[in-house]
Amino acid sequence: YEEDAARRDFTCNALLKGLHDGAVRDPLGSGVADLRGGVLRTPLDPVATFRDDPLRTMRAVRFRFRLGFRYADGLEEAIRQESGRLAIVSVERWRDELLKILAGPRPGEALGELADLGLLDVHFPEWRAMKGVEQGSYHHLDVWDHTRLVVENAAPGSPELLLGALFH
């Protein structure tokens, strides 16, 4: 089971629970400490973990915002390095992960982090182009920050409204 645990996305979800005794097992030795400390760490080298499944880069952002975790040393750099590999992930899987992120707490902030890490560039490079585009005297924010604010204020739990806010 150590090999299976090492293939998980993050150490915090590599914990095992015994079916018969209910005991929690930490085959990697760091999952419990990372869970308690709110640290998001990959079981193996982060670049290798993200190459195995590039969607894990987006899951890292979701876990950070939904669970309040912080990235372990080197994780953010590995996400940036591997962000272009999202091109091999189906649009449907990418969309589903994006919807989970938008449905969580602080979706506008999470969108900003996705953009900063390069995780939006593959499927929606147009979103990067919204940065710095002024909207005249009527709006006080550029198009990107305005869009993030609208998403932040959209009804949580409604994928239609969240997407409507994002694409407005």
Side-chain angles (χ1 to χ4, degrees):
Y1 58 90
E2 289 88 1
E3 186 178 315
D4 180 61
R7 290 187 46 89
R8 301 291 110 206
D9 296 351
F10 306 104
T11 57
C12 63
N13 60 359
L15 299 172
L16 307 171
K17 184 174 182 177
L19 291 175
H20 302 290
D21 62 6
V24 174
R25 291 174 178 79
D26 186 357
L28 303 176
S30 60
V32 170
D34 286 345
L35 185 60
R36 286 186 178 140
V39 177
L40 200 56
R41 181 186 328 276
T42 56
L44 303 173
D45 172 71
V47 170
T49 297
F50 296 145
R51 282 197 180 149
D52 185 45
D53 181 359
L55 195 62
R56 290 172 171 164
T57 57
M58 291 186 68
R59 274 192 215 117
V61 174
R62 177 165 52 97
F63 279 34
R64 183 170 122 61
F65 281 89
R66 181 152 297 175
L67 303 173
F69 280 33
R70 64 179 170 77
Y71 299 133
D73 291 341
L75 196 71
E76 192 172 340
E77 293 79 15
I79 292 170
R80 271 194 187 88
Q81 179 181 327
E82 296 300 310
S83 64
R85 288 188 42 81
L86 281 172
I88 69 169
V89 173
S90 73
V91 175
E92 293 83 6
R93 288 183 69 218
W94 184 89
R95 176 210 54 216
D96 291 348
E97 192 62 42
L98 179 65
L99 286 173
K100 290 175 187 176
I101 292 167
L102 293 178
R106 305 184 343 251
E109 246 183 278
L111 271 174
E113 184 150 314
L114 288 167
D116 291 345
L117 294 171
L119 298 174
L120 301 177
D121 293 348
V122 169
H123 294 293
F124 283 100
E126 303 84 358
W127 289 345
R128 181 173 293 282
M130 294 192 303
K131 287 185 176 186
V133 176
E134 298 302 322
Q135 303 185 82
S137 60
Y138 184 73
H139 293 285
H140 67 284
L141 299 171
D142 70 7
V143 174
W144 176 243
D145 288 334
H146 169 83
T147 300
R148 289 176 47 222
L149 184 62
V150 171
V151 168
E152 192 74 33
N153 289 298
S158 170
E160 295 83 6
L161 287 176
L162 287 164
L163 287 174
L166 183 58
F167 288 111
H168 88 280

